Amino acid sequence: MRSMSSLNYISKESLENTLHQHMLWLDDPTRGKPADLSDTNLFGSDFRSKKMRNILMRGANLQGANLEGADLTGADLMSANFRGAKLEKTNFTMATIASVNFSGADMRGANPSRGTSPWFGRSKVCTKPRANRWGSV
């Protein structure tokens, strides 16, 4: 994970626009564009019930963020920091979750990727590599 000083910062307005463009893209790939929030400081952001399928958030800092009920199906979350985040009922189906920090995160009812990862949601730094949606690590 990158240091806080090397992360990109995004204004609330820019974040909302980025997520809006992503939603348009999810509905119709000829409209909007996919969101890439990799290496972005999203500390304490509110993503409750957001549809963020296939979003790129590699190395993002989501410490203390609220993602209750968010849909992160197919998201690339490699090396993201979810320390102390609210992840209750978050959908991680087919998400890339290698080297993710879930320390202190509330993961009650979260849907782990493919439901086969015994280390998912143990409130530890997860460092085991896992297969991505195409079967490779």
Side-chain angles (χ1 to χ4, degrees):
M1 286 180 232
R2 292 174 62 176
S3 70
M4 291 290 282
S5 62
S6 65
L7 291 173
N8 302 314
Y9 287 84
I10 188 168
S11 70
K12 185 176 180 179
E13 295 78 24
S14 291
L15 178 58
E16 288 174 5
N17 182 53
T18 298
L19 293 176
H20 176 72
Q21 291 296 313
H22 188 75
M23 286 292 301
L24 291 173
W25 175 77
L26 286 173
D27 290 337
D28 179 358
T30 64
R31 298 175 53 217
K33 64 180 184 176
D36 185 351
L37 295 170
S38 298
D39 299 318
T40 302
N41 188 359
L42 301 166
F43 180 92
S45 294
D46 186 356
F47 297 107
R48 278 178 292 182
S49 301
K50 296 278 187 198
K51 291 180 181 148
M52 301 189 305
R53 295 183 310 273
N54 300 316
I55 198 165
L56 296 175
M57 294 178 122
R58 284 181 164 236
N61 178 31
L62 293 141
Q63 186 172 348
N66 188 343
L67 291 102
E68 288 183 49
D71 183 0
L72 293 171
T73 300
D76 187 343
L77 308 170
M78 182 174 272
S79 299
N81 180 11
F82 287 96
R83 184 180 186 96
K86 295 178 183 174
L87 302 172
E88 190 173 347
K89 297 181 182 173
T90 300
N91 185 353
F92 290 96
T93 301
M94 302 295 284
T96 302
I97 54 173
S99 301
V100 172
N101 183 351
F102 289 113
S103 298
D106 179 358
M107 301 181 76
R108 291 174 290 169
N111 175 16
S113 184
R114 293 189 186 163
T116 60
S117 185
W119 44 271
F120 183 86
R122 287 191 179 169
S123 298
K124 293 182 182 179
V125 176
C126 298
T127 57
K128 285 187 176 182
R130 63 168 267 86
N132 63 21
R133 64 189 129 212
W134 298 283
S136 59
V137 175

